[in-house]
Amino acid sequence: MKFSHYLLLTLKGCAMGMADVVPGVSGGTIAFISGIYEELIESIRSVGVEALRLLARGRLTAFWHHINGSFLLAVLLGVAISIFSLARLMTYLLTHHPIEIWAFFFGLIVASALLVARQVGTWNWRTGLSLAAGIAVAWWITVVSPAETPDDWWFVLLSGAVAICAMILPGISGAFILLLMGKYHYIMQAVGDLNIPVILVFVAGAVSGIIAFSHLLSWLLKHWHDCTIAVLMGFMLGSLNKVWPWKQTVESYTDSHGQTMPLVERNILPDTFERLSGSDAHLGEALLLGAAGFLLIYAIELAAKAVLRK
């Protein structure tokens, strides 16, 4: 194929990477919009036993063609470029403009959950129960988990394995999963600082996770489509407890750098936040950015419909 074709694939990968950095926007949705979703799924699923046999026998050319290597390399290169270039920006915004950026995320997730609901073919007691279970589990995680989850290698590995499933599933974001697991800021900081050990462990989890989940999600969506989508929607709605912009620190701890960090937080109203903290709640900016995040998801949906009509 021509160089221009692979350049276009890399640009589409960049768009996916940008989406995966922002909680609420799915890289899988961008893959769907840009017309590479089905090829991406099939290419990932091809990395299996047969591919490993070819690699073990030293048949590198056959292995590369079997996994559609040129396609995967171009797309993943674009994803990596976006993630590494945007990580520092997201870390800066979370540190210096937390209320505004959390409000933006809140709007993104609300709109995403509503769009995911449209993918449920039939709402009945099964899908309703699945939705309730998803909300309950996500809400429980945000309530019982402290603001800081373990930074140990096994949890970073697990975070990568779970979060990567979003890349192959339209409607749910990898950054959203990291947010739910309390590892979003930590991974963004590691990428921005080029913390190679953390990045390598996370990537190892992502590689193993995407291969396993590509088969699992394919089976679940084929046999339990509506219930699976309802659970995912429930996860998104339940996570809103975690991304509420105004919080009061109930318990704190001192990290390894001597900085005081929140350990347990509770959600409060903007006026309560101003009264307790003596700081501006930035309500106007939060409402504006929340609306912007909400509308962004619908703009992406309109773009998807325009692509399908062509």
Side-chain angles (χ1 to χ4, degrees), residues 148-156 182-183 186 198 253 255-256:
E148 286 291 318
T149 49
D151 293 339
D152 298 331
W153 68 268
W154 64 268
F155 198 82
V156 174
K183 276 285 155 284
Y186 180 76
V198 172
Y253 74 103
D255 66 12
S256 57

Side-chain angles (χ1 to χ4, degrees), residues 82-159:
S82 280
I83 290 176
F84 278 93
S85 60
L86 289 176
R88 284 186 178 275
L89 173 62
M90 297 308 299
T91 301
Y92 172 84
L93 290 174
L94 285 169
T95 302
H96 296 90
H97 302 280
I99 291 176
E100 295 90 333
I101 198 67
W102 286 123
F104 182 68
F105 291 168
F106 195 94
L108 287 173
I109 293 173
V110 169
S112 294
L114 293 176
L115 288 184
V116 167
R118 296 183 185 178
Q119 299 181 32
V120 178
T122 303
W123 282 100
N124 51 36
W125 70 269
R126 290 187 181 88
T127 49
L129 187 61
S130 299
L131 173 65
I135 293 175
V137 169
W139 190 276
W140 177 78
I141 291 173
T142 64
V143 170
V144 302
S145 293
E148 286 291 318
T149 49
D151 293 339
D152 298 331
W153 68 268
W154 64 268
F155 198 82
V156 174
L157 188 78
L158 177 65
S159 298

Side-chain angles (χ1 to χ4, degrees), residues 218-230:
S218 177
W219 186 88
L220 286 173
L221 289 171
K222 182 178 180 180
H223 295 90
W224 298 92
H225 178 273
D226 287 355
C227 288
T228 301
I229 296 298

Side-chain angles (χ1 to χ4, degrees), residues 39-73:
E39 186 173 2
L40 179 64
I41 293 295
E42 291 306 312
S43 298
I44 293 170
R45 291 185 65 187
S46 68
V47 184
V49 176
E50 181 60 28
L52 292 177
R53 285 201 191 108
L54 293 171
L55 186 62
R57 293 171 184 169
R59 299 177 59 188
L60 299 182
T61 302
F63 166 78
W64 192 251
H65 286 300
H66 180 79
I67 66 169
N68 199 6
S70 298
F71 169 85
L72 283 178
L73 178 62

